[in-house]
Amino acid sequence: MVHDNLSVELGRLLVIGLVVALFGLLSGVWSLPIFMGLGGYIAWHLRQMYIMEEWLHGVERDESQLDGVWGYIAVHMKKARNRARQRKKRLSRLLHRFYDTLEAMPDAAIILESDLRVQWFNTAAHELLGLELAARKRNQCILHLVPHPDFRRWIEEKDFSRPLELASPADPPRMLQIRMVEFGRGQHLLLAHDISELKRVEAVRRDFIADVSHELRTPLTVVAGYLEMLVDEQELPEDIRQALRASRRQAERMQSIVADLLMLSRLELEEDQLWAGEPVAVPALLAGLVEDARRLSDEAGHPIQLHTDGALGLIGSESELGSAFGNLIFNAVQHTPRGTPIDVYWGRNGDGARLVVADRGPGIAAEHLQRLTERFYRIDKSRSRERGGTGLGLSIVRHVLKRHEAVIDIQSTPGQGSRFVCLFPASRVVKLTP
């Protein structure tokens, strides 16, 4: 089609050239016919340009007055314009469907521009975060609409991998979990979910476990005491004494579970309170724990090696850190085969510090790693019970580390062993005096 129009245009130029040549030959004057021929051709194109401009601005509705290449351009521009209108309508429908979906959500949803200005939010954002509906058109910064110091700090840190828990500005008794998701070109979708009921259930569960544990502790102490006294009675038949020994072992196991539950309940109650504490001599603490682990290993004969930086300590609670570190070391003893080497490292990690408990046991499959710090979670329930595990040790470790601004990183490969790494920030590190 385009070649046909160019052929017509070239034909038009050829006719004009022939007419100019004919008049030039007949009259002997070339300048006048050349001027008239080219002038007429340019004038025609200028008129076509004028009609095209009128058509583009909508003054001239009919493009049929355009001829040649100009008509061809107009036809294709009209098709492109129609396609653009259809595409715009589709995008508009999709956009309205997107907004309708967000509007139907029970969670607060806020669309933010790259500079954190609010582009749009749903009705739930008004109910949960207190945003006035009139603010949809003001294009204000989200920090001005939610002026909470914890929210501002979370936004400024830009670490949106972890959610923020915040009391609702519109209804303080309600607790919200806020997440930020990036999409498009630097835009963000801020979501706020009401977790008040979840928090209430967690509080009921925590109080129930703490109350039951307190109530069980005294009777179990009495039962364990009487069983220990009866086991030593020489006059009892051997089968009775064996039954008493088994009962005492189970009573001691129950006491261990109750002690762990009470400690875990206390840690959960105080998990948002960072432990200020005092300097803890971690090398000496680890030396005592490793010696206890060697006695626990006894016949299993685990070679336990301790490697420490003698001048490196921590600010925190010695009892809580001892419980966390002890759980990691004793777990390595209990859950690895006889004779398996265990290495305990304590040293610097950049400006911070780290504790590593490494074994060469059977390892842990990848699907279990994320759940190991959940309470009562066991990989092999039967074997854990046989070895006396409560399923609470790693949960206690996680809560203790959180109180000391630290995290645990579990690395394991089946058949090659496991590494439990505790990472402490520089603010917790202290240099010990000799």
Side-chain angles (χ1 to χ4, degrees):
M1 180 68 179
V2 65
H3 296 297
D4 294 340
N5 283 283
L6 283 175
S7 298
V8 171
E9 201 64 32
L10 290 173
R12 187 178 287 123
L13 282 172
L14 181 59
V15 170
I16 294 173
L18 290 173
V19 172
V20 169
L22 180 61
F23 274 95
L25 289 172
L26 294 175
S27 63
V29 180
W30 290 91
S31 58
L32 181 61
I34 291 173
F35 175 77
M36 291 178 64
L38 292 178
Y41 183 71
I42 293 171
W44 180 82
H45 273 288
L46 288 174
R47 174 166 174 75
Q48 292 292 304
M49 289 175 62
Y50 175 76
I51 297 172
M52 171 66 81
E53 186 179 9
E54 295 285 293
W55 178 73
L56 288 173
H57 287 85
V59 178
E60 178 62 52
R61 299 286 182 179
D62 188 7
E63 72 278 7
S64 60
Q65 296 184 43
L66 294 168
D67 193 17
V69 173
W70 296 100
Y72 173 79
I73 293 172
V75 168
H76 282 269
M77 288 184 67
K78 187 175 182 179
K79 291 179 179 178
R81 182 187 292 177
N82 291 335
R83 286 197 297 268
R85 285 173 179 170
Q86 292 173 1
R87 191 161 49 247
K88 185 177 179 181
K89 287 179 180 178
R90 285 197 300 270
L91 290 174
S92 180
R93 285 195 297 268
L94 287 173
L95 186 60
H96 281 89
R97 190 178 301 172
F98 174 66
Y99 284 145
D100 290 343
T101 302
L102 294 181
E103 186 65 36
M105 289 175 57
D107 297 343
I110 305 173
I111 299 176
L112 302 175
E113 298 289 354
S114 57
D115 58 357
L116 299 180
R117 293 188 176 276
V118 176
Q119 180 182 345
W120 183 88
F121 58 85
N122 62 358
T123 305
H126 166 69
E127 298 171 356
L128 296 177
L129 293 171
L131 275 62
E132 295 296 332
L133 294 177
R136 287 180 178 178
K137 300 179 180 180
R138 295 175 188 166
N139 201 27
Q140 292 177 279
C141 181
I142 187 63
L143 295 176
H144 296 153
L145 298 176
V146 186
H148 194 285
D150 291 342
F151 181 75
R152 174 179 287 275
R153 191 179 309 112
W154 183 69
I155 291 290
E156 290 174 349
E157 288 175 357
K158 296 182 179 179
D159 181 13
F160 302 133
S161 59
R162 58 178 183 84
L164 171 69
E165 292 186 2
L166 188 73
S168 169
D171 187 7
R174 301 170 77 172
M175 284 297 297
L176 305 177
Q177 185 183 74
I178 301 176
R179 294 180 179 275
M180 186 85 85
V181 181
E182 187 173 355
F183 73 99
R185 297 182 178 179
Q187 292 179 299
H188 293 85
L189 177 63
L190 188 145
L191 300 169
H193 176 62
D194 188 350
I195 57 171
S196 304
E197 184 62 18
L198 178 62
K199 286 293 184 182
R200 187 190 68 79
V201 171
E202 285 182 354
V204 170
R205 173 192 55 81
R206 188 167 54 243
D207 294 342
F208 172 76
I209 291 174
D211 292 343
V212 169
S213 301
H214 275 293
E215 293 298 324
L216 286 175
R217 184 167 56 175
T218 301
L220 280 173
T221 303
V222 174
V223 171
Y226 279 117
L227 288 171
E228 186 173 359
M229 181 181 66
L230 290 172
V231 162
D232 295 331
E233 289 291 333
Q234 300 297 325
E235 299 177 359
L236 294 174
E238 184 60 27
D239 57 341
I240 299 297
R241 292 176 65 188
Q242 287 181 1
L244 289 172
R245 289 191 194 100
S247 299
R248 185 180 65 176
R249 285 195 300 270
Q250 294 303 317
E252 289 173 349
R253 181 169 177 272
M254 284 295 296
Q255 284 181 305
S256 177
I257 292 175
V258 167
D260 283 350
L261 282 172
L262 286 172
M263 183 174 188
L264 191 56
S265 296
R266 180 179 65 80
L267 290 171
E268 286 180 338
L269 189 65
E270 301 172 353
E271 68 178 355
D272 294 329
Q273 303 172 17
L274 298 180
W275 186 271
E278 61 279 337
V280 177
V282 175
L285 177 65
L286 289 173
L289 292 172
V290 166
E291 190 59 36
D292 292 342
R294 287 172 180 150
R295 284 196 294 269
L296 175 66
S297 175
D298 196 14
E299 296 180 359
H302 292 86
I304 305 176
Q305 298 296 323
L306 176 62
H307 317 268
T308 61
D309 181 342
L312 192 64
L314 287 174
I315 298 295
S317 164
E318 184 171 353
S319 62
E320 290 187 7
L321 290 172
S323 177
F325 296 167
N327 270 304
L328 293 176
I329 297 171
F330 299 152
N331 274 354
V333 172
Q334 290 177 340
H335 298 286
T336 54
R338 291 172 176 271
T340 303
I342 298 171
D343 293 288
V344 180
Y345 302 91
W346 169 249
R348 288 201 171 271
N349 180 44
D351 292 333
R354 70 172 180 170
L355 170 78
V356 180
V357 179
D359 65 61
R360 300 176 206 171
I364 304 166
E367 64 266 21
H368 297 295
L369 295 180
Q370 295 298 322
R371 300 192 60 192
L372 280 179
T373 57
E374 294 179 10
R375 59 169 66 209
F376 295 117
Y377 185 79
R378 295 184 178 94
I379 298 171
D380 187 334
K381 296 179 173 58
S382 60
R383 292 179 61 190
S384 294
R385 288 195 179 98
E386 289 172 3
R387 294 170 177 174
T390 64
L392 296 171
L394 289 178
S395 185
I396 290 173
V397 171
R398 177 169 59 87
H399 282 86
V400 169
L401 293 181
K402 185 175 181 181
R403 292 244 295 157
H404 289 76
E405 302 175 271
V407 294
I408 183 169
D409 178 28
I410 304 174
Q411 307 159 3
S412 186
T413 303
Q416 298 182 20
S418 305
R419 286 168 55 90
F420 293 80
V421 184
C422 303
L423 301 171
F424 293 87
S427 59
R428 287 281 169 177
V429 176
V430 64
K431 186 175 181 179
L432 300 175
T433 55

